[in-house]
Amino acid sequence: MTSSPNPTSAIIVIGDEILSGRTKDKNIGWLAEQLGAQGIQLCEARVIADKKQVIIDTVQTLSKAYDLVFTSGGIGPTHDDITTDAVAAAFGVPVIRHPEAERRLILHYANTDLEFNAARQKMADIPDNAVLIDNPLSAAPGYIIGNVHVLPGVPTILQAMFEGLKPRLPGGIVMTRITVQCSTGEGNIATILSDVEASHDGVSVGSYPWMKPGNFGTAVVVSGLDAEITTAAAKAVEAGVRAFGAAANIVNA
């Protein structure tokens, strides 16, 4: 684990359909916002194929590197949904037909005109000793094993399940982020930004150039866990850019 004062995390998006471009990922950005709002630092996100050994290796690597890992995709009823088998192998445990998961699915399908067939029964297969994550929309649960939180790929279902999961997650200090809009290119103010970051402990300064018809500039985002130091750094950016001769204004805090 890292030495960050906040819990650290990683996201693993699993699916050939994402890598092919056929399906556009909508989970990384949403999860990043949710984690940040809870003071959990997202350090890494990977998109990987539906290949068992790749999933095993990625889960083992990231679960050792970070406090929390979240996966999306590959826990449905079809033959290419292999995430559960791979995650179980990563932790060296068998996959079992989970009685509570099965009970929830039987109850769910009893209220529909859909058959609880062998493919759907597969969604009750869970790594041994895993803790279920409730699914309020379609009943098929996710689960937690070790520090890995296994979620579905469908964004609406993932979001509903994550809302129920949030109270179980550790929290931290929510990052303060302040934007300074500057009416000059980032190359002109690179040294200013570097100096501000170096002189304000724990602060990170990012620059994001933008262009509009007849105009261009740089949005500078100052981030840090200490609100007072972060605010001071943002004011230093503003003052430094103005001293250079360009307009600069803090536009949000």
Side-chain angles (χ1 to χ4, degrees):
M1 304 304 172
T2 73
S3 58
S4 169
N6 276 1
T8 58
S9 66
I11 297 170
I12 306 170
V13 174
I14 302 165
D16 292 342
E17 72 280 7
I18 303 293
L19 291 170
S20 72
R22 188 181 66 82
T23 300
K24 311 303 180 187
D25 173 70
K26 297 181 180 178
N27 292 328
I28 292 175
W30 188 87
L31 282 171
E33 290 182 353
Q34 298 299 308
L35 295 170
Q38 197 147 329
I40 298 171
Q41 181 183 359
L42 179 62
C43 300
E44 187 170 352
R46 298 190 189 183
V47 182
I48 62 174
D50 291 303
K51 297 187 182 300
K52 185 173 181 178
Q53 194 59 51
V54 172
I55 300 171
I56 292 171
D57 293 344
T58 305
V59 166
Q60 289 178 337
T61 297
L62 297 187
S63 66
K64 291 174 184 175
Y66 302 111
D67 298 309
L68 305 166
V69 175
F70 301 88
T71 77
S72 75
I75 58 172
T78 59
H79 72 282
D80 58 344
D81 288 313
I82 61 170
T83 294
T84 291
D85 285 342
V87 170
F91 282 91
V93 300
V95 174
I96 64 166
R97 180 60 52 89
H98 194 289
E100 175 58 19
E102 186 175 48
R103 184 194 71 79
R104 295 181 190 184
L105 286 162
I106 289 171
L107 183 63
H108 172 76
Y109 283 102
N111 294 319
T112 72
D113 58 358
L114 299 172
E115 178 189 359
F116 186 46
N117 57 22
R120 296 187 175 107
Q121 291 170 30
K122 176 187 171 187
M123 294 187 292
D125 291 345
I126 307 290
D128 197 14
N129 298 320
V131 177
L132 299 184
I133 300 173
D134 294 339
N135 178 347
L137 295 187
S138 58
Y143 53 87
I144 306 167
I145 180 167
N147 62 347
V148 177
H149 304 70
V150 178
L151 297 164
V154 179
T156 53
I157 301 176
L158 177 144
Q159 290 171 19
M161 292 173 69
F162 187 85
E163 288 298 328
L165 173 63
K166 280 198 295 189
R168 300 192 204 180
L169 300 176
I173 302 168
V174 177
M175 186 81 69
T176 296
R177 289 188 173 88
I178 302 173
T179 300
V180 185
Q181 285 290 358
C182 307
S183 63
T184 188
E186 62 179 346
N188 292 331
I189 57 174
T191 300
I192 296 168
L193 305 186
S194 176
D195 289 346
V196 168
E197 183 173 283
S199 61
H200 292 79
D201 189 40
V203 165
S204 123
V205 180
S207 59
Y208 307 94
W210 53 266
M211 296 186 70
K212 297 178 181 179
N215 199 8
F216 69 96
T218 305
V220 176
V221 179
V222 184
S223 307
L225 296 177
D226 186 302
E228 185 175 344
I229 295 174
T230 305
T231 300
K235 290 180 178 178
V237 168
E238 184 181 48
V241 174
R242 287 180 178 177
F244 168 75
N249 295 284
I250 292 175
V251 295
N252 75 299

